[in-house]
Amino acid sequence: MKTALVVASSPISRIVISRTIERCYIKAIAVTPEVAQREFMHRDPGLVIIDTAAAPDLLHALFDGIAQRRRTAFPALPRVVLICGPGEAERLDAYRYLIDTVAGKPITPDILQPIIDRVIKQHTQPKP
């Protein structure tokens, strides 16, 4: 996994999440929800981290692109981490099968880094 796409409406969230990803030696590409689908198609990230405060209506196209790529990729990439507050994850219930991990808000580097490390480790471990 060389790159991660960070999708968040808030510039502060994009910075915090991106810096945490970089601590894991992964290049972060931070974008707003409005350009997330286009950047996803152009960048081919191995990890996508989505802050659900990022206008769920704008995320449907992104999730559709992730689903399409996962059907054709082996191993199934990209991995998806959803960051959400209470009740936010239900708005994206139709895409639950694409989400590898859900992290609750408030998110801090100390909480997010072990989650990213675990998702990366699950990706790199061979299946028995």
Side-chain angles (χ1 to χ4, degrees), residues 60-82:
H60 294 293
L62 175 61
F63 275 113
D64 290 340
I66 291 169
Q68 181 180 4
R69 186 153 305 147
R70 275 195 167 186
R71 281 191 295 270
T72 60
F74 183 80
L77 288 177
R79 299 293 186 204
V80 178
V81 175
L82 193 66

Side-chain angles (χ1 to χ4, degrees), residues 2 20 97 104:
K2 296 179 182 175
T20 304
Y97 69 99

Side-chain angles (χ1 to χ4, degrees), residues 17-118:
I17 297 167
S18 294
R19 296 293 182 259
T20 304
I21 290 169
E22 289 168 357
R23 289 167 63 182
C24 299
Y25 303 104
I26 298 172
K27 180 181 178 185
I29 303 158
V31 299
T32 62
E34 293 81 11
V35 298
Q37 169 63 10
R38 183 185 67 214
E39 289 298 315
F40 174 76
M41 297 308 257
H42 286 46
R43 305 288 185 139
D44 194 26
L47 176 66
V48 178
I49 299 180
I50 302 168
D51 184 339
T52 57
D57 296 340
L58 296 173
L59 297 174
H60 294 293
L62 175 61
F63 275 113
D64 290 340
I66 291 169
Q68 181 180 4
R69 186 153 305 147
R70 275 195 167 186
R71 281 191 295 270
T72 60
F74 183 80
L77 288 177
R79 299 293 186 204
V80 178
V81 175
L82 193 66
I83 300 171
C84 60
E88 290 179 345
E90 288 79 24
R91 292 186 280 171
L92 296 169
D93 233 12
Y95 301 104
R96 180 183 300 163
Y97 69 99
L98 294 172
I99 300 167
D100 296 294
T101 303
V102 176
K105 288 184 181 179
I107 199 72
T108 64
D110 293 338
I111 294 170
L112 186 57
Q113 187 167 356
I115 292 170
I116 294 169
D117 288 337
R118 185 175 60 244

